[in-house]
Amino acid sequence: HWMLDKMGGIWAPRPSTGPHKLRQCLPVILILRERLKYALNSREVLTICKNKLVKVDGKVRTDPRFPAGFMDVVTLEKAKESFRLLHDTKGRYVLHRLDKEEAKFKLCKVVSSRTGTKKVPMITTHDGRTIRYPDPVIKVDDTIKLDLESGKITKVLKFEVGNLVAITKGRNCGRIGTLVSRDRHPGSFDIIYVKDSTGHTFATRMSSAFVIGEGNRPVISLPKGKGVKLSIIEERAARMKGQK
């Protein structure tokens, strides 16, 4: 999903350890060099980073190999640009351009909730954040809307039937649709059924779903294609139409 040419492979930059997993991230160096074309080589990326021009989720990151991942907001203040990392319908990372208002928040999926030392309730999100004293209505698999400046939770999106979910792993990665039903399989993986805006229904593991809206209204703006996966024939027809 990094979309590197033949000089990728073993020469690809190894992401540093950070909030996102090695296989599920996009290093800052690739964002600046391969995607945005702000740099021609790694030396230029290093210069950009060391001049503190790159922010990820509102924090300056000087490591060119810092792993940015799903839902992260990458800001380049000099260029007055902000991007959110999302998936296209083929499961590849896309940099979705944001306006000023949308760059102030991000969505985080709650992956665990527990009671820490001195009985302090806390939750952990998909990007490695630990938030203490959360609202008691927040449960695992819900999504929280996080204000990047203050680090406070401004909204909770419950993992419920009828809400809008994005798929973040597996074959359906990048697809977006409404949660239709959920099959529980104790001791195995719970399966959910999702229906996209064209009426196609597909099944996937519950762990790969990420709530992004209430009802059919997303909280964030969506990239091109709006998470609808086209068949090969539909893709070809769209391309032919574009050529005309």
Side-chain angles (χ1 to χ4, degrees), residues 84-145:
R84 193 187 301 281
L85 273 172
L86 297 168
H87 296 298
D88 65 3
T89 48
K90 300 217 161 139
R92 302 173 298 205
Y93 271 124
V94 285
L95 287 162
H96 179 59
R97 197 175 251 103
L98 304 177
D99 56 23
K100 259 204 176 127
E101 283 310 303
E102 213 188 324
K104 289 179 181 170
F105 72 87
K106 73 178 288 192
L107 299 181
C108 300
K109 179 180 174 177
V110 180
V111 290
S112 77
S113 110
R114 62 190 187 285
T115 307
T117 48
K118 298 192 179 169
K119 304 229 169 110
V120 175
M122 49 177 77
I123 56 171
T124 308
T125 60
H126 79 285
D127 57 350
R129 290 168 194 269
T130 300
I131 298 166
R132 301 175 63 183
Y133 299 108
D135 187 331
V137 301
I138 300 172
K139 300 279 182 272
V140 173
D141 289 324
D142 291 349
T143 296
I144 56 171
K145 184 177 172 184

